[in-house]
Structures are given as structure tokens and as C-alpha cells.
Amino acid sequence: MRTFHFLCATWACWIPSLLADTVAPTSPKRGLCYVQGEDPADDRTWDGPESSLTWYYNYQANPTSGLDDKLQFVPMLWDDKSAGEAPGSFYNTVKRLIDSGREIDFALGFNEPDGCKDGGSCMDPSLAAKTWISEMEPLRRDLDVRL
């Protein structure tokens, strides 16, 4: 009887470990900031079957070729210049993606707008607010995209 209890206890500890190694839990909170790397083989780390990632962004309004069929793309309006010269350029790009059948549930706005060094978008607050109202708010209002 003692041996049976020991075996049951051993298996009870070992099975969750085995499952954890073979099944990657997914979560809507697990995403990736994707910047094209030098070695495409690295992409298998996050878009392979063992990855728990579900979405990515790339600092742009358009998806990265190759990842867009494996992870959900989240467009980003990086700064006021990435919106384009014409009013509504970012909005129109996201709308075109949705109209073409792509699932866009979320959009990101601005990368560290107060950061003027090391990759921030360095935006004046009044310009950021104006750009948000013209480019991001219509996504929420018209297309039900969460911001």
C-alpha cells in the first residue's frame, strides 16, 4: 500500500510538469513588440506552436509580413508624423485593414510622447491631444476598436 501511495504522489507531481512542457497557455495579455531581426529563425520563438503569445505590435499602422497570420496585429500611431500628411491617414489605414478582413480589436497610441531621447516620440502635449482626437477617437467611435 505504501508503494502505491508513493507512486500516486510521484505521478501527481510529475504530470503537471509534463503538461506545462507540452502545452503553452495563451493569454490576451501576452504580446510582443516586434522589430524585424537579422535572423528570421528567431521568429519561431514567438510564432511557433509552443508560444503563448497572442498579439504583437511593430510601432506602425501596417502589420509585419509573416507574423500577421500567426499573431493578432495591434496597429500603433507612433507620433503625429506617422499619421501622415492627410487628416485621418492612420484611421484610414486601420479601417482598410478591418475592411479587408483583418481582426483589429485594439490600437496603441504614441510611444513615450514625453521622451525626447532614446526612442520616445517626443510630442508636445497639445499636438498629442489634437492627433489623438483626429486619428484615434474615430477608431473607437466608428469601428469599435479599443484604445
Side-chain angles (χ1 to χ4, degrees):
M1 186 69 153
R2 224 180 217 172
T3 304
F4 177 75
H5 283 236
F6 175 74
L7 286 176
C8 288
T10 303
W11 276 100
C13 292
W14 185 65
I15 288 174
S17 165
L18 176 67
L19 291 175
D21 290 342
T22 59
V23 178
T26 60
S27 166
K29 294 182 179 181
R30 292 188 179 198
L32 169 74
C33 175
Y34 179 77
V35 179
Q36 190 90 30
E38 292 179 13
D39 186 358
D42 290 343
D43 293 349
R44 286 191 292 270
T45 302
W46 43 79
D47 68 5
E50 67 282 348
S51 174
S52 62
L53 299 174
T54 57
W55 61 273
Y56 80 99
Y57 74 100
N58 61 4
Y59 297 109
Q60 300 173 24
N62 286 300
T64 300
S65 174
L67 284 181
D68 51 332
D69 58 337
K70 299 172 183 104
L71 300 172
Q72 184 178 6
F73 175 63
V74 177
M76 180 183 209
L77 177 62
W78 191 80
D79 67 1
D80 62 304
K81 295 165 208 62
S82 63
E85 295 298 319
S89 294
F90 180 78
Y91 170 84
N92 289 331
T93 299
V94 175
K95 184 175 185 326
R96 180 182 44 79
L97 291 170
I98 292 170
D99 290 347
S100 72
R102 182 173 302 278
E103 182 181 352
I104 303 285
D105 295 324
F106 301 92
L108 298 171
F110 311 131
N111 178 60
E112 301 175 12
D114 61 340
C116 294
K117 298 182 207 173
D118 301 325
S121 57
C122 191
M123 294 181 68
D124 175 74
S126 61
L127 180 58
K130 180 181 172 187
T131 305
W132 182 273
I133 291 167
S134 68
E135 298 289 337
M136 299 295 282
E137 284 298 318
L139 293 173
R140 181 188 54 77
R141 182 188 65 228
D142 302 341
L143 304 175
D144 203 28
V145 173
R146 293 168 58 181
L147 309 175

